[in-house]
Amino acid sequence: MLTRDDIATALALPVREVPEEFSGTPGITAVTHDSRAVTPGAAFVAVSGFKNDGLRFAPGALDAGAGLVVVEREWPTAADREADPRIAELEAAGPLPVVRVRDARAALGHLAAAVNGNPSRSLRVHGITGTNGKTTTSYVLYNLLAGVLGTDKVGLSTTVEVIVDGVGRPAMRTTPEAPLVQENLRRMVEAGASDAVLETSSHGLELHRVTGVEYASAIFTNLTRDHLDIHGDMETYFQVKRQLFERTSGPRLANVDDTYGRRLAREFPGALTFGFDEAADYRIVEPTDLTLEGMQFTLDTPRHGELRLEPPLVGDYNALNVAGAVAVALESGHDSLAVVEAVKHLGQVPGRFQRIPEAAEHGFMAVVDYAHTEVGLEVVLTVARKIADMAGGRLICVYGAAGERDAAKRPLMGEVVSRIADVGIITTDDPYGEDPATIAEEVMAGADAGDTHITLDRRTALLEAVAMARENDLVIACGKGDEAFQHLPSGDVDHHDPTSIREGLARR
């Protein structure tokens, strides 16, 4: 419960600027930006969204018992009263409990942290950011720490799920809104966790979803073209990602094989690096030995010498993900032998080169992956190509591009798949409000028509790919990973790539 002094401290405001009365409540018991979630005694933060101004919902929040309304501008004005007669009725009962701040989203983060008891002060929170590899690195670090400390001592929040005390719940988005971020961290503290791994997206940083989180370490994986519809250009995108290093009090690990990772290392002199590069502090000694079940490689470390790592993951990009996670675990003071042993028992990452084991019964391999950009496809398909070649089979790729996102990448995706795979099937990803057929044709513009065709219905495309697979082939579905839905123009529908692949296998 937050008092007037607590609120002033959280918002960095003089106490006199915080209303003396909270609509008859003794303090603030919850924080939300969703008026539908307001309960008596809650603070309602009027956030300006992409489509609606949160102040439209302030009268409803007060009707529901909000003890405080946080705004960015003077409210209510004469125009506000004219637009909503309820305001005058509320004012007739007494002064409205309104506090004005410069940035409502930042205020939401600070208040959410405060009302949950600032849980990150009781945890070592490890943040992972970058364009590709965030989720995999998050899972790797979570599993390493859980292997060393015990499952009950580590929490995880990723684009796939939130794990508290070993129990996972589906996640709503990569980085949830601030109230849920802080609630999840509080749940981890209450469960007895000492560490938490938090996948931190550019949206999470830019929109203050992680404001109020105190980070103990940070990993930067890479930066490639993505989300430019939101950030505008690569420099702005980089500056947003850079914020994670600014907010971190402990070890900062940057991928030195990436141009932006090298830049981060220069701009933060105390940062450490990982990668294949000879100058890396944590250097992957080539070559990595790839098998159908995983890989083996040596990691040269600053204080523990050369460590032989055997993760059940494949691909040079996963060697980088493992190296970054191992570096943070070692820099956090954990025993190197325990870390090496934990690497051997890493589980599959949901939706990230996730094998569908039932396909082996039919003599081929089936995989789902989240790769949804031309760079992501290039990385993942290069590994898939190596595996298909080792087995002596073809590579069949089912993929599509999302709608209402950077359209320039669509033909680039088509070019990458045609260059690396033997067969490409363009299908529907998440078109949102766009026409799926138009998106598919834009992807097709970069593909080779000789090895590519369009099947718009995603389930049908996956059934088709499984039906055409021969012995030793590798079928890979890219773009959706382990997600359980699609965002279509007509609304959200249930869809799960692994389930459709298993349906196809059952039909063979």
Side-chain angles (χ1 to χ4, degrees):
M1 181 178 294
L2 302 183
T3 66
R4 187 185 183 201
D5 286 345
D6 294 331
I7 293 167
T9 298
L11 299 179
L13 292 172
V15 175
R16 66 177 181 277
E17 293 187 20
V18 180
E20 293 186 11
E21 299 295 330
F22 299 131
S23 299
T25 67
I28 296 302
T29 56
V31 177
T32 183
H33 67 300
D34 185 346
S35 61
R36 297 166 297 184
V38 168
T39 54
F44 172 69
V45 182
V47 170
S48 294
F50 294 113
K51 298 180 180 179
N52 292 307
D53 183 351
L55 280 172
R56 287 181 49 202
F57 307 101
L62 288 166
D63 268 340
L68 183 70
V69 174
V70 180
V71 302
E72 286 184 346
R73 65 167 175 83
E74 180 185 351
W75 188 86
T77 63
D80 294 320
R81 295 184 182 93
E82 183 177 352
D84 194 333
R86 290 179 299 172
I87 295 175
E89 297 174 9
L90 291 164
E91 288 180 311
L96 300 184
V98 177
V99 62
R100 186 174 178 181
V101 296
R102 179 176 299 177
D103 189 323
R105 279 198 167 275
L108 180 65
H110 289 303
L111 288 174
V115 82
N116 282 283
N118 293 298
S120 63
R121 296 177 184 174
S122 301
L123 290 165
R124 289 183 294 271
V125 179
H126 309 280
I128 292 89
T129 198
T131 304
N132 301 304
K134 293 190 302 296
T135 302
T136 298
T137 303
S138 297
Y139 268 94
V140 170
L141 182 55
Y142 166 77
N143 281 291
L144 288 184
L145 295 175
V148 173
L149 299 171
T151 303
D152 59 326
K153 293 297 183 182
V154 190
L156 173 69
S157 177
T158 76
T159 189
V160 178
E161 63 183 333
V162 176
I163 299 177
V164 178
D165 201 17
V167 179
R169 295 181 180 177
M172 298 302 293
R173 50 167 59 99
T174 304
T175 308
E177 293 288 355
L180 187 52
V181 167
Q182 297 296 338
E183 179 187 330
N184 288 335
L185 293 176
R186 175 178 55 79
R187 290 173 53 224
M188 293 173 193
V189 171
E190 291 173 349
S194 60
D195 290 69
V197 179
L198 180 57
E199 182 177 352
T200 305
S201 66
S202 59
H203 291 72
L205 292 161
E206 177 79 356
L207 299 178
H208 290 287
R209 293 172 184 167
V210 293
T211 291
V213 176
E214 298 180 10
Y215 287 91
S217 77
I219 299 175
F220 174 85
T221 60
N222 52 62
L223 197 73
T224 61
R225 183 189 179 97
D226 201 11
H227 303 306
L228 297 191
D229 52 314
I230 300 295
H231 300 300
D233 55 60
M234 290 297 291
E235 179 60 23
T236 303
Y237 187 24
F238 170 73
Q239 291 297 332
V240 172
K241 292 287 192 183
R242 188 183 188 278
Q243 292 178 31
L244 181 61
F245 271 37
E246 295 172 353
R247 299 179 183 200
T248 299
S249 60
R252 301 177 178 92
L253 274 298
N255 173 12
V256 76
D257 293 351
D258 180 80
T259 301
Y260 290 96
R262 291 193 294 274
R263 180 174 166 186
L264 270 179
R266 290 195 303 269
E267 294 181 3
F268 291 85
L272 296 169
T273 58
F274 63 94
F276 288 90
D277 192 279
E278 287 288 336
D281 297 300
Y282 285 84
R283 183 171 66 90
I284 301 168
V285 181
E286 296 187 87
T288 54
D289 298 323
L290 180 67
T291 72
L292 294 178
E293 299 301 324
M295 61 182 163
Q296 301 176 354
F297 65 92
T298 298
L299 185 67
D300 192 8
T301 71
R303 288 182 297 279
H304 301 280
E306 292 190 345
L307 304 178
R308 188 64 175 170
L309 302 178
E310 302 175 8
L313 305 173
V314 296
D316 287 351
Y317 68 97
N318 271 325
L320 286 167
N321 295 331
V322 171
V326 167
V328 162
L330 295 177
E331 290 296 322
S332 298
H334 297 297
D335 178 72
S336 61
L337 295 179
V339 171
V340 168
E341 186 63 25
V343 169
K344 295 179 182 178
H345 303 290
L346 296 174
Q348 282 204 86
V349 180
R352 273 64 179 176
F353 216 89
Q354 176 187 345
R355 301 182 187 94
I356 309 300
E358 295 90 338
E361 300 171 12
H362 300 268
F364 65 93
M365 183 181 292
V367 173
V368 298
D369 195 89
Y370 189 62
H372 59 282
T373 68
E374 76 280 9
V375 175
L377 284 170
E378 176 107 33
V379 169
V380 168
L381 293 182
T382 297
V383 174
R385 176 80 270 167
K386 290 179 181 178
I387 293 174
D389 289 346
M390 287 171 60
R394 299 173 302 163
L395 176 59
I396 302 169
C397 180
V398 180
Y399 70 110
E404 299 181 6
R405 301 292 187 271
D406 181 12
K409 69 184 180 184
R410 293 171 186 172
L412 303 178
M413 294 171 69
E415 186 279 327
V416 166
V417 175
S418 283
R419 173 162 44 87
I420 301 175
D422 297 294
V423 179
I425 303 176
I426 299 171
T427 190
T428 302
D429 192 286
D430 286 323
Y432 295 94
E434 284 196 65
D435 176 31
T438 300
I439 296 173
E441 289 294 345
E442 291 177 357
V443 176
M444 189 69 181
D448 182 345
D451 58 33
T452 307
H453 67 273
I454 296 172
T455 300
L456 286 179
D457 182 78
R458 192 172 184 93
R459 171 177 165 273
T460 302
L462 291 168
L463 295 177
E464 184 181 336
V466 171
M468 74 168 63
R470 302 194 293 254
E471 188 173 358
N472 297 324
D473 284 352
L474 193 158
V475 174
I476 183 166
C478 293
K480 295 292 292 174
D482 198 48
E483 291 178 346
F485 51 83
Q486 276 185 289
H487 299 295
L488 301 179
S490 57
D492 290 358
V493 298
D494 292 338
H495 173 82
H496 186 229
D497 278 3
T499 297
S500 293
I501 290 173
R502 290 187 175 103
E503 179 185 348
L505 292 170
R507 292 185 177 192
R508 286 176 62 99

